[in-house]
Amino acid sequence: MIAGDCMITVRVDVGGLVEGARKGQARSVARLISLVEDGHPALREVMAALAPYTGRAAVIGLTGAPGVGKSTTTSALVAVYRRLGRRVGVLAVDPSSPFSGGALLGDRVRMHEHAVDPDVFIRSMATRGHLGGLAVSTPQALRVLDAAGFDVVLIETVGVGQSEVEVAALADTTVVLLAPGMGDGIQAAKAGILEVGDVFVVNKADRDGAAATGRDLRHMIMLVEREPEAWRPPVVKAVASEGIGIDDVVTALEEHRAWLLADDGRRLDERRRRRAAGEIEAIALAGVRRRIAGLPPGRNVSDLAETVAAARLDPYAAADQLLAALGQAPPP
Ligand SMILES: Nc1nc2c(ncn2[C@@H]2O[C@H](COP(=O)(O)OP(=O)(O)OP(=O)(O)O)[C@@H](O)[C@H]2O)c(=O)[nH]1
Ligand SMILES: [Mg+2]
């Protein structure tokens, strides 16, 4: 190495990676998703190259309380879809354990049976601390899988309502899982899941109380006000750990897809527009945060905060000054 020549530029062969991903090469797909997680500068080019190939995958979100059986159900769904000859991508999103938390490790073991199948791609999403986090990276990872030609993409994420990644905003079809004893209908209503679920699964139906949970749930779903032509979410019982009821879940998912695609795909288009709006906002907001973080002393948040804390300025005026400073700052 020549002295002084110590700059390391990590070059990214965007064209090669995109081509590899389009051919279904797992290594290229994995590398592209890593770029997404890192918030890598090459992402603009990557996403521009991928955009024409997106919009084909059926995106299915799975959500529900911790331990309800999301990963087990996901794995069982992968098996059914593979039998149907579909290529399947899986994103496991867990904001609470960004690196190798126990839950994710467990998922990896559970997903092991699919690990050698070239038509299955499984990835746990992690934030690597860049601004925007999973709210930005999850939909972009989804785009990578979509463009890589996966017919079905399953996204597993914990919780509804308070989660950083709202799976219902990402998915074409949202599956909400419950288990007997893990909350009756009223708790479900409180958690806001009745509105977001397109398909409800009462998992762990081998346990006592599954019939009652199913009944409660059906009743609560009926009470939700819906337009006459709106989708009526079915409630399916399953024992995911035994693969029981998973075919019924897939049937329900296919029926929902058919409903989305009816009328020239008007409903699917609407969901996709909503997802795109969320993506644009998340990226723009991350950009705004980045620019705020880059403001010089005197105009940055910490200096403004000092003024506000010292009661020399009110927070609204400070926010105005901050926005004005952003307007004057050079574009990123
Ligand atoms: N009895 C019974 N146990 C099940 C069933 N499905 C899953 N389990 C078990 O429930 C536990 C949790 O399952 P997971 O699939 O990891 O649940 P999860 O919702 O992905 O959990 P988190 O990702 O940690 O939120 C595991 O021990 C599973 O084996 C089922 O239908 N019946
Ligand atoms: Mg899980």
Side-chain angles (χ1 to χ4, degrees):
M1 189 202 273
I2 304 162
D5 181 21
C6 56
M7 276 275 288
I8 300 166
T9 26
V10 182
R11 280 236 196 80
V12 178
D13 172 14
V14 171
L17 285 175
V18 167
E19 204 186 305
R22 295 272 303 135
K23 285 190 193 140
Q25 289 168 3
R27 214 164 0 111
S28 302
V29 174
R31 179 88 178 92
L32 286 175
I33 294 182
S34 296
L35 296 180
V36 166
E37 285 178 322
D38 290 341
H40 195 281
L43 274 184
R44 284 173 177 267
E45 204 184 331
V46 169
M47 289 309 157
L50 292 181
Y53 307 111
T54 56
R56 291 172 202 169
V59 183
I60 299 166
L62 292 99
T63 191
V68 71
K70 297 178 293 297
S71 298
T72 314
T73 302
T74 299
S75 184
L77 284 172
V78 171
V80 174
Y81 280 121
R82 287 303 297 132
R83 267 209 315 276
L84 297 171
R86 316 268 177 89
R87 296 183 66 223
V88 189
V90 176
L91 292 176
V93 182
D94 188 352
S96 63
S97 52
F99 289 100
S100 52
L104 294 183
L105 202 62
D107 287 352
R108 272 191 213 112
V109 174
R110 206 162 294 121
M111 297 286 181
H112 194 73
E113 58 172 309
H114 307 298
V116 291
D117 185 340
D119 290 319
V120 177
F121 182 91
I122 295 163
R123 175 70 172 245
S124 294
M125 289 295 293
T127 38
R128 303 215 183 144
H130 69 91
L131 293 163
L134 288 170
V136 170
S137 55
T138 308
Q140 302 314 306
L142 173 59
R143 277 177 175 274
V144 171
L145 294 179
D146 187 358
F150 288 99
D151 304 299
V152 178
V153 179
L154 302 168
I155 306 179
E156 174 191 338
T157 184
V158 176
V160 185
Q162 65 281 72
S163 160
E164 180 185 359
V165 179
E166 292 295 337
V167 77
L170 286 177
D172 302 331
T173 303
T174 300
V175 180
V176 174
L177 290 101
L178 291 101
M182 287 188 69
D184 55 15
I186 291 174
Q187 271 170 304
K190 267 197 210 146
I193 64 161
L194 293 170
E195 285 78 10
V196 304
D198 299 306
V199 173
F200 289 86
V201 175
V202 177
N203 190 41
K204 307 197 182 184
D206 51 330
R207 294 205 177 154
D208 287 346
T213 302
R215 214 167 37 236
D216 278 0
L217 192 57
R218 270 193 202 92
H219 182 67
M220 299 300 293
I221 290 169
M222 256 167 38
L223 296 179
V224 175
E225 259 183 60
R226 296 176 205 271
E227 304 280 306
E229 80 277 17
W231 172 253
R232 311 266 144 190
V235 177
V236 184
K237 266 191 273 173
V239 185
S241 51
E242 309 288 331
I244 295 169
I246 303 301
D247 284 325
D248 298 337
V249 177
V250 170
T251 302
L253 291 171
E254 303 273 282
E255 281 169 7
H256 184 252
R257 183 129 203 106
W259 179 83
L260 286 174
L261 289 170
D263 288 346
D264 280 336
R266 166 175 71 80
R267 301 185 184 103
L268 184 61
D269 287 347
E270 195 189 311
R271 289 199 179 205
R272 297 255 156 120
R273 273 197 296 273
R274 211 163 57 202
R275 175 158 90 220
E279 278 182 85
I280 297 167
E281 261 183 37
I283 293 171
L285 286 173
V288 169
R289 287 205 194 94
R290 209 163 35 238
R291 292 178 68 186
I292 286 179
L295 284 173
R299 300 200 286 173
N300 62 22
V301 176
S302 70
D303 287 351
L304 283 167
E306 203 178 306
T307 333
V308 171
R312 290 200 304 274
L313 191 69
D314 72 89
Y316 280 88
D320 286 345
Q321 289 189 19
L322 188 68
L323 291 174
L326 276 192
Q328 289 150 16

